Amino acid sequence: MAFSEQQEVLVKEAWEIMKPNLPQLSLRFFTTILEIAPAAKNMFSFLKDSEEIPKNNPKLKVHAVKVFKMTCESAVQLREMGKVVVAETTLRYLGSVHLKKGVLDPHFEVVKEALLRTVREAVGDNKWSEEMRGAWSVAYDHLAEAIKAEMKAEA
Ligand code: HEM
């Protein structure tokens, strides 16, 4: 099924609402990841040795914002080109980082769920809809598939 202009609009609309609040949303995103999968804590260098989720850690923010932003970029690419195109070097890097950290397919589902909950909280119930959820899901799934394929190619 093609990614529609309306779906692209829904992803971008949420992203615009999220942008001014990235430090707080990054924290919510990681809190949600650990609520769903507490064991994921040990994977992240910035979580492993601390009792609480650090509030101002640049690495935490980088990961969260990359997931938000790359999903948004994927939505644009899906609409324009019908597929997600991550630059070759970026994809190779993403593949190797995640492979080295021991990330497995089910972890991508955890991150997806945390992403969807974070977007929902960010936009609020007035703007959140099944269509918005669907648009973010499809964009994320295509991005995750690209990273997973690279991880398999490298393994
Ligand atoms: C690192 C993006 C999914 C775990 C990174 C980095 C990027 C990234 C860009 C490198 C950050 C840096 O240079 O410091 C993404 C994207 C994802 C995704 C776009 C999904 C579409 C996941 C999943 C997991 C995960 C599902 C596992 C729960 C990690 C870990 C690191 C990492 C453990 C190393 C971070 C550290 O300890 O400093 N990811 N990631 N990622 N990612 Fe992901």
Side-chain angles (χ1 to χ4, degrees):
M1 196 187 68
F3 202 77
S4 70
E5 197 173 336
Q6 176 60 14
Q7 286 177 301
E8 183 189 356
V9 166
L10 288 170
V11 172
K12 282 183 172 166
E13 190 186 356
W15 172 236
E16 288 304 318
I17 297 171
M18 292 165 76
K19 264 190 207 164
N21 247 332
L22 293 175
Q24 192 209 333
L25 293 173
S26 299
L27 208 57
R28 280 300 300 151
F29 177 62
F30 268 95
T31 308
T32 311
I33 291 176
L34 297 191
E35 270 167 24
I36 306 172
K41 187 173 188 277
N42 295 322
M43 276 187 177
F44 292 92
S45 58
F46 45 84
L47 298 180
K48 163 161 93 207
D49 300 318
S50 61
E51 287 290 309
E52 299 174 22
I53 301 183
K55 295 221 163 29
N56 274 313
N57 188 295
K59 284 191 168 185
L60 180 148
K61 195 170 156 227
V62 166
H63 195 276
V65 173
K66 283 277 177 190
V67 174
F68 304 157
K69 203 172 166 189
M70 287 183 76
T71 303
C72 191
E73 288 162 358
S74 294
V76 177
Q77 295 165 353
L78 277 171
R79 224 271 298 159
E80 285 179 355
M81 295 175 276
K83 60 177 180 183
V84 167
V85 194
V86 185
E88 181 85 18
T89 46
T90 310
L91 195 56
R92 217 172 296 142
Y93 173 65
L94 287 176
S96 69
V97 171
H98 293 100
L99 197 61
K100 228 183 302 163
K101 294 285 177 175
V103 176
L104 303 170
D105 285 3
H107 295 124
F108 281 91
E109 290 305 308
V110 172
V111 166
K112 178 182 178 179
E113 187 54 36
L115 171 70
L116 295 173
R117 287 193 206 171
T118 304
V119 177
R120 180 183 188 148
E121 276 189 31
V123 302
D125 281 343
N126 284 342
K127 276 213 181 294
W128 181 253
S129 62
E130 269 312 300
E131 289 71 27
M132 190 178 267
R133 183 191 167 86
W136 276 86
S137 287
V138 173
Y140 175 88
D141 284 345
H142 278 81
L143 174 61
E145 282 312 317
I147 300 173
K148 286 194 264 183
E150 181 65 26
M151 289 168 70
K152 283 179 186 126
E154 268 189 46

